[in-house]
Amino acid sequence: EPEVTQTPSHQVTQMGQEVILRCVPISNHLYFYWYRQILGQKVEFLVSFYNNEISEKSEIFDDQFSVERPDGSNFTLKIRSTKLEDSAMYFCASSEVFSTDTQYFGPGTRLTVL
Amino acid sequence: AQKITQTQPGMFVQEKEAVTLDCTYDTSDPSYGLFWYKQPSSGEMIFLIYQGSYDQQNATEGRYSLNFQKARKSANLVISASQLGDSAMYFCAMREAQGGSEKLVFGKGTKLTVNP
């Protein structure tokens, strides 16, 4: 069964460093998303991406964040200068043809900022 | 105001029994979708079931069913014949169609523990 994959599963970085989180969405899906979950809290929407551009973003998704689809399979989230409060689980998700379809989540990347 | 409210921080159920996890939502959009996801201790988010606002019948997927009461704005998840592997966090989420929004809004979750 097709699934969303994410790498790495766990990333540890120093405050101020740049990190890139990688995702491979389900192959025939056209809509891609990033969510984050701070430990013990609810899942929060960051950004959605369609047709090589951002279609929606939350107030959390400020200038330190960026997304990219560098090739036909990968979808990345870059955090330019990490802060302690960026420590969270980051989930990539994808949905099929229409954005109203079910979003399938990857296993997540746990980011720890020291 | 909270869009999705899950009032039960934790629930306990005996193996093989049924359990209902509560979810109420708040929207003025006539077109919306409701989702339930399971998050085991390993951390991944697993899609369980979907209910559209215009669906006439309650959604079912195997042992999962959604008790959709539109007038009360509730979308409770019913798990029948609980198994030890059902122990996890369960999140209710909503997507509103208004304005073409694609984001899911999640509740705070309910931690379900299935006892042997």
Side-chain angles (χ1 to χ4, degrees):
Chain A
E1 185 175 322
E3 58 184 17
V4 178
T5 59
Q6 290 184 243
T7 53
S9 57
H10 192 185
Q11 174 102 39
V12 181
T13 190
Q14 295 291 326
M15 189 169 57
Q17 294 296 305
E18 174 183 288
V19 294
I20 297 176
L21 310 183
R22 291 182 167 79
C23 168
V24 179
I26 295 173
S27 62
N28 63 333
H29 285 189
L30 299 179
Y31 289 83
F32 315 121
Y33 313 84
W34 284 101
Y35 291 81
R36 80 172 186 190
Q37 183 184 31
I38 295 171
L39 187 63
Q41 298 188 22
K42 61 182 176 181
V43 179
E44 301 173 291
F45 170 79
L46 291 178
V47 66
S48 59
F49 191 86
Y50 169 72
N51 201 24
N52 283 320
E53 60 183 28
I54 291 173
S55 51
E56 187 177 2
K57 61 182 180 180
S58 73
E59 58 196 26
I60 302 169
F61 194 87
D62 60 23
D63 291 343
Q64 69 159 343
F65 291 94
S66 63
V67 289
E68 192 178 33
R69 187 153 165 83
D71 53 43
S73 58
N74 289 285
F75 179 53
T76 62
L77 174 70
K78 182 191 290 186
I79 309 175
R80 288 189 183 82
S81 178
T82 50
K83 306 170 189 169
L84 295 176
E85 54 265 36
D86 292 329
S87 294
M89 180 77 96
Y90 288 80
F91 291 103
C92 174
S94 68
S95 61
E96 205 170 350
V97 177
F98 301 108
S99 64
T100 50
D101 286 331
T102 295
Q103 296 178 20
Y104 293 91
F105 283 68
T109 292
R110 182 168 297 285
L111 176 65
T112 302
V113 183
L114 302 176
Chain B
Q2 294 289 327
K3 291 274 189 179
I4 295 287
T5 302
Q6 294 181 254
T7 58
Q8 306 153 316
M11 287 285 286
F12 294 87
V13 65
Q14 288 298 122
E15 197 177 4
K16 299 180 186 176
E17 292 186 350
V19 63
T20 298
L21 306 184
D22 295 343
C23 172
T24 57
Y25 58 92
D26 181 26
T27 182
S28 57
D29 190 343
S31 178
Y32 52 90
L34 297 158
F35 302 80
W36 278 91
Y37 288 86
K38 172 184 177 181
Q39 186 177 43
S41 58
S42 50
E44 70 268 33
M45 293 286 287
I46 302 167
F47 165 71
L48 295 178
I49 196 166
Y50 164 79
Q51 179 85 44
S53 59
Y54 293 119
D55 292 344
Q56 295 295 314
Q57 303 217 346
N58 286 343
T60 60
E61 284 288 345
R63 294 186 298 112
Y64 304 108
S65 61
L66 204 152
N67 184 2
F68 181 46
Q69 298 188 43
K70 196 169 182 177
R72 298 180 63 182
K73 293 188 176 178
S74 74
N76 298 339
L77 177 70
V78 180
I79 305 174
S80 63
S82 298
Q83 301 172 356
L84 295 178
D86 293 335
S87 293
M89 284 291 290
Y90 288 81
F91 291 95
C92 180
M94 177 174 66
R95 185 188 55 233
E96 297 169 297
Q98 195 168 39
S101 177
E102 298 135 18
K103 67 182 180 187
L104 292 177
V105 176
F106 285 81
K108 293 184 177 180
T110 295
K111 183 175 182 179
L112 176 66
T113 302
V114 181
N115 294 316

